Amino acid sequence: MTAAASPFTVAALYCFTPFQDTAALQGPLEAICRASRVKGTLLLAHEGINGTIAGPDAGIADVLAHIRALPGCADLDVKLSHASAMPFHRLKVRLKREIVTMGVPDIDPRASVGTYVDAQDWNALIADPDTIVIDTRNDYEVAIGTFAGAIDPKTATFRDFPGWFRAHRDELLGEGRRPKVAMFCTGGIRCEKSTAFLRQEGIDEVYHLKGGILKYLETVPEDESLWQGECFVFDERVAVGHGLREGSHGLCRSCRRPVSAADRAPPLYEEGVSCAACYPEKTDAQRASYRERHRQEKLAAARGVRHVGDPGTPA
């Protein structure tokens, strides 16, 4: 699907900047999104802004212009891609304690962060045998794609990353080793904090992929790529591949994990109810509830109306 044939532009964005009054920013930001027919999620915290939104080209341009006019956001980091259908059901502009939750006090990417590595230079860095490559994303994201040879921390949330690193520090860096540490994530924001954290832990030679996996898949030719699989994205596209083309994975509506074509085989997979990963985590009563919810959603869709559980956004 080419950009010209895709009616929706998707913008993944973030900026670390000190906001004094996030509540004052929330209303106008939500208003411009609604007026511009833009949906998605934007998070505001005292440390900055983060989110992914989608809409028509002109609408996205208007919202990005509004955000870039906020204090400290002129150099907003944005990755643009395209979608054949609106990849979000609603708009959410939320106030948070952190724009990406790590839970470690005094981490400030504006003060100390790893060395940025452009996508075209990333292959050489991670091919170096003296480089330790760490995927900072969650386990379900890593499961559908990662860089060849990268370490998977098998974390359920980003909040688990500091504990994982401290538990495995000697294994990774022990016996007098001083390797380079290269980290990557979807769009770059988690690595802003993970590299700042490693610097705080006394690790000096820390690098991260500028623009994240999305920038790499956009700019590095597939025949030169060291990426394997697809990249999970937090919208209805579920995953993208090289050239940021929409991927092949679907989504389990019960647990929100990505599912491949093989994963969607019965008996443990049931649309809207369960997949093989979450089936043992749920009770029969929960699955019955999800089954009824899915039935109601299908009925609402057939009538051309929103399901009662979906507040949606104005058309």
Side-chain angles (χ1 to χ4, degrees):
M1 178 74 67
T2 64
S6 303
F8 296 98
T9 295
V10 183
L13 60 95
Y14 73 86
C15 183
F16 283 96
T17 184
F19 287 148
Q20 299 303 314
D21 187 353
T22 54
L25 303 178
Q26 184 182 24
L29 181 55
E30 182 171 341
I32 187 68
C33 287
R34 293 191 183 281
S36 302
R37 301 173 63 86
V38 165
K39 299 181 182 181
T41 298
L42 291 169
L43 306 179
L44 291 165
H46 290 299
E47 65 181 4
I49 185 170
N50 175 33
T52 304
I53 52 175
D57 287 350
I60 291 295
D62 288 345
V63 174
L64 293 180
H66 177 90
I67 295 173
R68 287 190 170 108
L70 298 178
C73 289
D75 295 326
L76 181 74
D77 187 291
V78 182
K79 270 77 64 182
L80 296 176
S81 57
H82 296 86
S84 57
M86 169 53 80
F88 297 103
H89 294 304
R90 58 184 70 86
L91 171 69
K92 294 177 284 187
V93 181
R94 292 180 170 173
L95 305 184
K96 294 285 188 177
R97 293 184 63 182
E98 298 179 69
I99 56 174
V100 58
T101 303
M102 191 181 214
V104 177
D106 303 322
I107 291 292
D108 185 359
R110 294 167 298 148
S112 177
V113 72
T115 301
Y116 296 101
V117 180
D118 289 332
Q120 60 266 30
D121 300 321
W122 183 250
N123 285 359
L125 174 65
I126 67 173
D128 185 337
D130 290 327
T131 301
I132 292 174
V133 185
I134 302 174
D135 193 330
T136 66
R137 299 172 303 150
N138 300 331
D139 50 8
Y140 61 90
E141 300 172 76
V142 181
I144 69 168
T146 190
F147 283 106
I151 295 171
D152 175 10
K154 301 187 185 303
T155 50
T157 71
F158 188 50
R159 187 184 287 272
D160 298 333
F161 182 82
W164 172 84
F165 178 79
R166 287 166 175 159
H168 293 85
R169 177 178 179 140
D170 289 344
E171 174 187 336
L172 295 169
L173 306 173
E175 300 179 359
R177 297 180 64 203
R178 298 185 63 85
K180 296 186 283 286
V181 179
M183 294 188 284
F184 63 93
C185 59
T186 306
I189 187 170
R190 276 179 275 194
C191 289
E192 299 277 2
K193 283 199 170 180
S194 63
T195 58
F197 168 72
L198 259 66
R199 294 290 301 273
Q200 184 172 286
E201 293 286 299
I203 312 301
D204 295 324
E205 203 163 359
V206 184
Y207 302 83
H208 63 120
L209 177 57
K210 186 176 182 180
I213 301 161
L214 296 179
K215 179 57 69 175
Y216 183 93
L217 292 177
E218 178 187 5
T219 58
V220 175
E222 187 170 357
D223 60 358
E224 299 175 13
S225 174
L226 297 180
W227 177 262
Q228 299 175 338
E230 295 180 349
C231 176
F232 182 81
V233 290
F234 294 87
D235 60 59
E236 290 298 310
R237 294 173 298 168
V238 184
V240 297
H242 289 93
L244 300 182
R245 295 184 295 272
E246 294 180 41
S248 61
H249 284 76
L251 197 69
C252 173
R253 300 294 168 178
S254 173
C255 67
R256 309 296 294 176
R257 291 182 176 101
V259 287
S260 66
D263 294 331
R264 295 193 286 273
L268 297 185
Y269 177 80
E270 182 179 350
E271 185 179 357
V273 178
S274 67
C275 66
C278 72
Y279 188 92
E281 300 171 354
K282 308 296 182 181
T283 65
D284 288 342
Q286 287 174 312
R287 284 189 289 272
S289 175
Y290 300 152
R291 195 171 290 116
E292 176 60 20
R293 178 190 64 188
H294 185 58
R295 187 181 75 84
Q296 294 294 335
E297 288 171 348
K298 289 197 296 182
L299 288 173
R303 295 194 300 268
V305 299
R306 292 191 180 105
H307 180 245
V308 67
D310 178 9
T313 58

